[in-house]
């Protein structure tokens, strides 16, 4: 790179740092958070639909002897982990009030059952 292009990069970075404010960054991250939550909830519905077909197919293959039952168990465990991911993230971040109702219901049911046992 030449000296002129390095100087242009440094000046560009400084201008962006001086022009942008914290409020602009907060708006960007709020928008990203909203879009991520929307994408995750839609992906979860799609993953459940594909998982249902997969469970039926792999169960039929295990019964007919095409795959091992151990592999069927791995598939069930993986799908269980996929379905619990929203509740696990919610539990560790402590932000269950901000999630949509389908995530919040899972978390609140888990909390209410665990508090009954103690």
């Amino acid at each position: 790179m030449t000296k002129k292009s390095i100087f242009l990069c440094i000046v560009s970075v400084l201008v962006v740092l001086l022009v942008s404010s914290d409020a602009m960054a907060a708006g960007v991250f709020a928008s990203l958070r909203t879009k991520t939550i929307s994408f995750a909830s839609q992906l979860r519905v799609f993953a459940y639909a594909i998982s249902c077909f997969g469970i039926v197919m792999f169960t039929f293959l295990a019964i007919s002897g095409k795959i091992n039952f151990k592999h069927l168990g791995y598939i069930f465990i993986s799908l269980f982990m996929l379905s619990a991911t929203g509740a696990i993230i919610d539990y560790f971040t402590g932000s269950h009030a901000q999630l949509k109702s389908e995530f919040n219901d899972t978390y609140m049911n888990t909390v209410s059952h665990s508090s009954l046992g103690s």
Side-chain angles (χ1 to χ4, degrees):
M1 288 177 58
T2 64
K3 291 181 182 181
K4 289 182 181 180
S5 60
I6 292 173
F7 178 73
L8 180 64
C9 290
I10 291 172
V11 169
S12 300
V13 169
L14 289 175
V15 167
V16 168
L17 288 174
L18 292 174
V19 171
S20 64
S21 64
D22 291 339
M24 289 175 67
V28 169
F29 287 117
S31 173
L32 285 174
R33 185 178 137 262
T34 304
K35 289 180 181 182
T36 303
I37 290 173
S38 172
F39 175 76
S41 64
Q42 292 171 2
L43 180 66
R44 186 176 181 177
V45 172
F46 179 71
Y48 283 159
I50 297 297
S51 300
C52 291
F53 290 117
I55 287 173
V56 170
M57 180 186 71
F58 283 114
T59 302
F60 177 74
L61 290 174
I63 291 171
S64 64
K66 301 290 182 187
I67 65 168
N68 194 347
F69 276 98
K70 178 175 66 171
H71 298 128
L72 182 65
Y74 291 150
I75 292 167
F76 282 134
I77 291 170
S78 299
L79 292 176
F80 172 75
M81 290 172 57
L82 175 69
S83 67
T85 301
I88 291 170
I89 292 171
D90 185 33
Y91 174 76
F92 283 114
T93 58
S95 62
H96 65 277
Q98 297 176 358
L99 294 177
K100 290 190 172 189
S101 63
E102 64 260 13
F103 295 117
N104 200 7
D105 291 342
T106 306
Y107 176 77
M108 295 310 286
N109 288 337
T110 304
V111 170
S112 64
H113 289 304
S114 65
S115 64
L116 292 175
S118 56

